[in-house]
Amino acid sequence: MTFAAHIALFILLGPLLVGVVRKTKAFLSCRQGAPVFQPFLDLWKLFRRGVVRSMTASWIFDLSAPVVLGASLVLAAATPLWSREVPLPMHFILFLYLMALPRFFQTLAGLDTGSAFGGLGSSREVAVSAMAEPALILSFCGLAYLGGADTVSGMVTGVPPGRVLWRPDVILLAGTMFLLLLAENARIPVDDPATHLELTMIHEAMVLDHAGVDLAMIQLASGVRLVLFSALVSGTLFPEALSLPPFLAIPAAVMKVILSGALIGAAEAGMARMKLSRVASYLLIATVLAAIALAVRHAG
Amino acid sequence: MPSALPYVFASAFLLPGILALLIRDPRRSRVVGFGGSAVASFLGLVVTMVGATRETPMRIPLPAPVPWVASELFLDGLSAFFLVLIFFIGFLVSVYAVGYMKEFDAHRRGQAAPLLLNLLLLSMAFVVSAGDMLSFLLGWEAMSLASYFLVVLDHEKREARQAGLIYLIATHIGTGGILLAFLFLVQTTGSFSFNGFAAVPIADPAILSATFGFALLGFGTKAGIFPFHIWLPYAHPEAPSPVSAVMSGVMIKMGIYGIVRFLFYLLPSPPVSFGAILLTLGLLSGVFGVLYAIIQHDLKRLLAFHSVENVGIILIGIGAASLCQATGRPDAAKLLLAGGLFHVLNHATFKALLFLGAGAVLQGAHTRNIEKLGGMMRGMPLTGIAFLAGSLAISAVPPFNGFASEFAIYRGLWAAAGSSGAVGVFLAAMAGLALIGGLAVVCFVKVVGTIFLGNARSAQASAARDPSVSMEFPMGTLAVFCLGLGVFPSFVMDRLMEITSFLPSAGVAAPASGGKPFTLAIALAIAIGGLSLLRTYLLRRNGQRAGGTWGCGFPYSTPRMQYTASSFADPILHVFQGILRPHTTRKERLSGRFLLEVEHETHFHDLLENGLYLPVYRLFVQAAFQARRLHPGFIHLYLGYILGALVLLLVFFH
């Protein structure tokens, strides 16, 4: 039961988070923007639509959307969002490496239609995530030290409550995780999900040939992944909320997601997209920050 | 009874090979030669599996090659592990070769291939079970020569001859290093047998370092560790694909066997620096190997560079294990060594699979250049699935086996970083391993995407079909093992923890919570399967139609408009251009003001090849030309040399 609730919460909060981000961005740039619940309507429409499938594509293209969403949900099952218990406890390294599974199929599907855009998106996607890998593992190591456990749920829920916000290593780690959140989820300054030109995109260029159900699954999966990252950051910063009884914990989780959506939206509204060649430096900065956090932890 | 075993195996491998030479019909010769080797390997696998349950090491005396030295086979857990590896891959590759080697039917020399392959398998089995220096070196040399002849099997091609020459030089420099390392041990201990070596530790640190250094040079060359990897990208592509599979999957692991044997058995209590050196070399091999692989267009050359990468990962495990052993962290050491050895087996599985898949692609499309392939999933669906499984495994994507062993290494590094001491070293190793893993994903998305997906870039690629059953069966089996070893890693890990039991441990074996790969595999299967069913249902309800790929509003799209392997690798190339050093040449042909043609070429030079090896090689060649003046062909002068030598001997050694 809690298992179904856990997964359902991720699936529901994903589009909500995306909606909040868009609304915040619109508000900060003095536009009205679409309603917050627009992503839900989009998904509903996509799930009811037929599919035009490229004649070039092979079975990998057909398998990609279920793999992307399925693997993201398995990852979600290991992430604490509203309770200390998770349905599927997972070692943090297994968690990191499992993130490669949806990426592998997603990028292959991008190449499968034989479109130049798909290849462009795939190529950039794997390059960005490969360079993000050291920063990810170092910041996960930092979180694991902080929580004193090596499972993802243990490391977030094991963070000692109270005054944790004022520790320099916590702040550095949360900052690194936020930088990685932007890079791994196709947000500004690394990627712009709302641009109108495919040549400048990463994620959207890759999924250009997906339609209907496939596109809905992929968009749902990226929402789930965004919630997952924001749950890791907010869980570390406010571990107290995870110990609340369920009737309080779920609203608290929703609040955290809305807050992180506002934060991501604000960050995106204040920045421009970087040149692709600058992304490497951006990720190097994240790696160095994580390394400093680890050094601070061992020095102090 | 066991004393007859070496003779039984020698004849089981060599007789079919000799028969294959004698039979005139090339097809029958292939079946007898490779079939015989498959039977012998299968037999060996069964015997080793049964024998591996023995508690005490097995010792089989051999007739001495030199009168006053005893020679013997010595089989312990480590030997048995490598024997399983040799026979397992040997069996599958032999089955594959029955179908594949028909490429060589037109040439009489193709009939030498079975004998050479069998000799290679037999000599490797001999190397890992040798109990003394002389039999080890004998096996080592037989292995090197058999593989040399297999590399130059296609000796009408200039590239094959060149690759053979580079390999021959490299392997003999290596043998020289191993010989010197052994001689230091003989000098210290006065014994020729491995047990004798292990009994007396080397006291003098200078001699200890020299022994390790020469052993590292020798075994590192065979294993393809970073500064000594130079022969590997030449020799692997030129050998026939089943031979590449054996060389990359198994033969380079003989170098790993040697390093483990020296570091943990023959040189008891090595200093910290040895482990640190190996760990550093492992990280360098991993990063350089995968970076050089990303920029390759030649499929087999690319796979060869991935061997450099994976040997690096293995060395990270072994080096960190030695480091932990030296600094009093035996728990982590045990996990790391077991993880490194597990990666030896896993790399053999997926790399053999990938080379066999490359062979099938090569046979179908007659090119190794991946820029000319594409869309082959349609014509070769079975090969495509097997190759995809191998690619997921080599990219360390769970739940495949490449991840299983890297996970063990990670857990070891994490345990080592958790106890006091040089935390930074182990955390840096983890970050390095993560970068290697991420780059491997880049490379294999590129490979699978450009070969099997999209549109065919040449007529040959679209005409290629799945190969015969004798080639499909080994690929399928290896693909199943790639998944099976990843889902049930404890079958192998438990055995390896026993083999490494000479490292004391206190409760490290318990798998970390949430690391259960079987649970994960089930969860993934349910999630992905359920969503696929949902997708099928929705597609049936909502309707699906086929259309062209969206071309940005343009009506045409040709295979030339697809992303190529080079363009795919470009972002990584851009970031790492300081290391990869691309040389770009651009030629323009103008007619008046109009640009008619642009030629744009990018080449890469291996840093070490141009910076270190070629200058040294040229120096040697010059010295050899100078030395030639010493023998101009006058018999008087030669007699004078003899006289001079005698006088010098009498003066110095009287």
Side-chain angles (χ1 to χ4, degrees):
Chain A
M1 191 55 222
T2 47
F3 179 82
H6 189 89
I7 299 294
L9 204 57
F10 265 98
I11 290 179
L12 288 177
L13 286 181
L16 178 70
L17 180 52
V18 175
V20 172
V21 172
R22 286 191 192 153
K23 193 73 183 176
T24 316
K25 259 166 82 176
F27 177 76
L28 288 176
S29 46
C30 301
R31 288 183 286 117
Q32 190 172 4
V36 172
F37 291 101
Q38 186 64 39
F40 288 99
L41 300 175
D42 290 347
L43 284 176
W44 178 248
K45 190 173 69 183
L46 285 174
F47 267 119
R48 298 175 60 80
R49 275 226 175 139
V51 167
V52 183
R53 185 179 171 281
S54 164
M55 284 180 291
T56 313
S58 72
W59 57 269
I60 289 199
F61 186 83
D62 296 321
L63 195 60
S64 64
V67 170
V68 170
L69 183 55
S72 303
L73 290 179
V74 171
L75 285 168
T79 315
L81 179 64
W82 56 283
S83 139
R84 302 179 74 86
E85 300 295 316
V86 292
L88 189 72
M90 204 184 279
H91 195 281
F92 72 95
I93 287 168
L94 178 58
F95 185 86
L96 281 180
Y97 269 71
L98 191 57
M99 291 210 282
L101 180 64
R103 190 182 304 138
F104 207 96
F105 275 86
Q106 176 94 79
T107 46
L108 280 183
L111 288 166
D112 201 8
T113 54
S115 146
F117 291 127
L120 179 147
S122 297
S123 156
R124 293 174 180 177
E125 170 95 3
V126 283
V128 168
S129 47
M131 289 182 289
E133 215 66 66
L136 266 176
I137 206 146
L138 286 182
S139 49
F140 270 58
C141 283
L143 289 180
Y145 277 129
L146 203 64
D150 53 11
T151 59
V152 174
S153 54
M155 72 191 198
V156 173
T157 57
V159 177
R163 290 188 50 102
V164 74
L165 266 179
W166 308 114
R167 286 179 43 180
D169 55 340
V170 178
I171 294 171
L172 279 168
L173 279 176
T176 316
M177 287 298 292
F178 189 70
L179 291 183
L180 291 171
L181 178 151
L182 296 179
E184 285 275 309
N185 290 290
R187 317 302 310 181
I188 293 174
V190 175
D191 184 11
D192 185 355
T195 168
H196 67 283
L197 186 61
E198 297 88 344
L199 281 174
T200 62
M201 299 194 279
I202 298 180
H203 187 85
E204 296 297 315
M206 183 169 58
V207 301
L208 206 58
D209 261 294
H210 290 267
V213 190
D214 290 337
L215 187 59
M217 282 190 182
I218 283 167
Q219 290 195 344
L220 202 54
S222 55
V224 167
R225 276 164 57 89
L226 198 55
V227 175
L228 187 149
F229 267 89
S230 74
L232 288 179
V233 179
S234 58
T236 313
L237 290 177
F238 308 102
E240 295 90 345
L242 293 170
S243 320
L244 298 170
F247 65 94
L248 283 176
I250 291 180
V254 175
M255 274 312 294
K256 282 202 286 193
V257 163
I258 290 176
L259 272 179
S260 36
L263 192 64
I264 296 168
E268 285 203 33
M271 277 189 281
R273 209 182 63 96
M274 290 184 295
K275 256 166 65 180
L276 191 70
S277 50
R278 294 280 299 280
V279 173
S281 334
Y282 173 87
L283 291 168
L284 193 61
I285 290 171
T287 314
V288 171
L289 282 182
I292 293 175
L294 283 167
V296 167
R297 184 250 172 200
H298 280 285
Chain B
M1 178 52 203
S3 59
L5 274 179
Y7 306 102
V8 172
F9 275 109
S11 30
F13 275 105
L14 293 180
L15 278 181
I18 294 168
L19 273 178
L21 271 182
L22 298 177
I23 298 171
R24 285 211 70 87
D25 175 33
R27 199 179 151 273
R28 206 170 291 160
S29 156
R30 263 190 284 137
V31 173
V32 169
F34 293 118
S37 133
V39 171
S41 300
F42 192 75
L43 211 71
L45 193 60
V46 173
V47 171
T48 319
M49 290 286 209
V50 172
T53 51
R54 290 162 52 102
E55 285 294 311
T56 49
M58 196 197 280
R59 303 176 75 154
I60 304 171
L62 290 178
V66 189
W68 60 89
V69 186
S71 200
E72 64 169 5
L73 293 184
F74 180 84
L75 287 133
D76 58 359
L78 188 69
S79 309
F81 172 70
F82 278 91
L83 278 179
V84 167
L85 185 77
I86 293 164
F87 290 136
F88 172 57
I89 302 295
F91 166 65
L92 291 172
V93 166
S94 304
V95 173
Y96 180 92
V98 174
Y100 183 82
M101 293 301 283
K102 67 166 179 273
E103 307 265 298
F104 288 85
D105 274 0
H107 308 280
R108 191 82 175 88
R109 63 170 183 274
Q111 278 172 250
L115 180 61
L116 289 168
L117 184 70
N118 294 5
L119 198 60
L120 177 60
L121 293 173
L122 184 66
S123 56
M124 288 193 297
F126 195 61
V127 162
V128 296
S129 48
D132 62 304
M133 172 188 144
L134 284 172
S135 30
F136 185 93
L137 285 172
L138 211 67
W140 190 267
E141 195 55 26
M143 171 181 88
S144 301
L145 289 179
S147 50
Y148 164 74
F149 285 116
L150 284 167
V151 169
V152 295
L153 199 62
D154 211 359
H155 59 74
E156 275 157 17
K157 273 163 57 190
R158 207 183 136 265
E159 293 86 6
R161 293 198 303 272
Q162 192 199 0
L165 181 66
I166 293 172
Y167 175 54
L168 203 61
I169 294 173
T171 192
H172 280 109
I173 290 175
T175 310
I178 296 169
L179 182 65
L180 279 172
F182 272 131
L183 287 179
F184 276 116
L185 281 169
V186 170
Q187 196 199 19
T188 315
T189 62
S191 161
F192 281 92
S193 83
F194 285 180
N195 285 318
F197 292 154
V200 187
I202 301 177
D204 187 351
I207 292 186
L208 186 63
S209 304
T211 311
F212 176 72
F214 282 119
L216 184 60
L217 170 72
F219 293 122
T221 310
K222 186 58 79 180
I225 298 174
F226 166 60
F228 320 121
H229 69 281
I230 211 83
W231 63 272
L232 216 128
Y234 288 98
H236 281 6
E238 293 308 326
S241 297
V243 176
S244 318
V246 172
M247 283 178 75
S248 177
V250 191
M251 195 188 76
I252 61 170
K253 308 299 171 23
M254 296 300 112
I256 300 292
Y257 168 79
I259 289 174
V260 173
R261 186 60 87 190
F262 256 77
L263 206 58
F264 293 94
Y265 293 82
L266 302 187
L267 303 173
S269 64
V272 177
S273 58
F274 292 4
I277 290 171
L278 283 180
L279 181 58
T280 314
L281 288 181
L283 282 167
L284 284 175
S285 296
V287 174
F288 274 83
V290 72
L291 279 180
Y292 279 125
I294 285 177
I295 54 177
Q296 301 301 324
H297 309 153
D298 179 328
L299 177 57
K300 288 179 74 177
R301 207 168 140 83
L302 180 148
L303 291 176
F305 273 115
H306 270 287
S307 297
V308 178
E309 175 220 333
N310 278 285
V311 162
I313 295 172
I314 295 166
L315 269 194
I316 291 174
I318 294 171
S322 176
L323 201 57
C324 288
Q325 190 197 15
T327 51
R329 273 172 278 203
D331 291 10
K334 196 169 165 168
L335 200 50
L336 283 163
L337 182 58
L341 289 174
F342 190 19
H343 202 71
V344 167
L345 176 65
N346 289 340
H347 177 244
T349 320
F350 55 67
K351 187 50 72 66
L353 169 57
L354 291 169
F355 264 119
L356 298 187
V361 168
L362 186 60
Q363 199 182 49
H366 303 286
T367 179
R368 300 198 309 241
N369 186 350
I370 56 180
E371 307 277 38
K372 294 208 170 79
L373 303 170
M376 294 181 86
M377 193 64 96
R378 242 162 286 146
M380 313 179 83
L382 295 173
T383 310
I385 292 174
F387 200 91
L388 179 67
S391 305
L392 286 164
I394 198 174
S395 311
V397 175
F400 288 85
N401 66 350
F403 173 72
S405 43
E406 282 191 36
F407 186 46
I409 295 174
Y410 269 119
R411 274 177 52 209
L413 289 171
W414 182 240
S419 51
S420 63
V423 181
V425 174
F426 298 107
L427 288 178
M430 286 175 86
L433 206 49
L435 181 65
I436 295 167
L439 291 173
V441 171
V442 176
C443 196
F444 274 90
V445 168
K446 172 189 115 167
V447 172
V448 176
T450 17
I451 296 178
F452 290 101
L453 306 180
N455 285 309
R457 294 175 179 84
S458 67
Q460 285 170 324
S462 56
R465 291 291 171 269
D466 264 329
S468 59
V469 183
S470 83
M471 288 166 67
E472 290 293 350
F473 165 73
M475 287 195 275
T477 312
L478 285 168
V480 169
F481 268 88
C482 280
L483 187 58
L485 288 175
V487 177
F488 304 103
S490 53
F491 279 139
V492 181
M493 271 307 272
D494 290 349
R495 278 295 301 141
L496 285 171
M497 292 304 253
E498 282 170 38
I499 290 173
T500 55
S501 58
F502 59 89
L503 293 163
S505 69
V508 72
S513 55
K516 288 242 170 21
F518 181 66
T519 324
L520 174 73
I522 294 290
L524 281 174
I526 291 173
I528 295 169
L531 287 168
S532 293
L533 287 178
L534 176 70
R535 177 180 182 274
T536 315
Y537 166 75
L538 284 174
L539 281 186
R540 194 166 298 161
R541 201 192 62 181
N542 300 347
Q544 176 192 21
R545 65 190 169 83
T549 301
W550 191 67
C552 213
F554 288 92
Y556 55 85
S557 93
T558 67
R560 275 179 61 85
M561 288 165 72
Q562 295 174 95
Y563 242 47
T564 59
S566 315
S567 42
F568 193 85
D570 191 65
I572 292 292
L573 171 63
H574 196 86
V575 173
F576 291 96
Q577 57 187 343
I579 296 172
L580 296 171
R581 302 280 175 89
H583 294 259
T584 309
T585 51
R586 194 183 148 93
K587 270 189 236 151
E588 290 176 354
R589 204 156 69 79
L590 293 170
S591 157
R593 285 168 186 273
F594 295 101
L595 193 59
L596 292 184
E597 248 178 27
V598 179
E599 253 181 55
H600 192 90
E601 269 187 318
T602 308
H603 293 280
F604 300 95
H605 299 295
D606 195 313
L607 272 182
L608 285 176
E609 202 174 316
N610 279 4
L612 177 66
Y613 287 102
L614 269 180
V616 172
Y617 174 73
R618 289 204 189 98
L619 213 67
F620 264 102
V621 171
Q622 272 175 6
F625 271 106
Q626 296 300 323
R628 203 161 64 172
R629 293 182 186 183
L630 291 175
H631 47 95
F634 305 131
I635 209 112
H636 310 76
L637 192 62
Y638 296 168
L639 285 172
Y641 288 158
I642 293 174
L643 187 68
L646 274 175
V647 169
L648 280 177
L649 278 175
L650 283 172
V651 168
F652 284 105
F653 293 99
H654 184 59

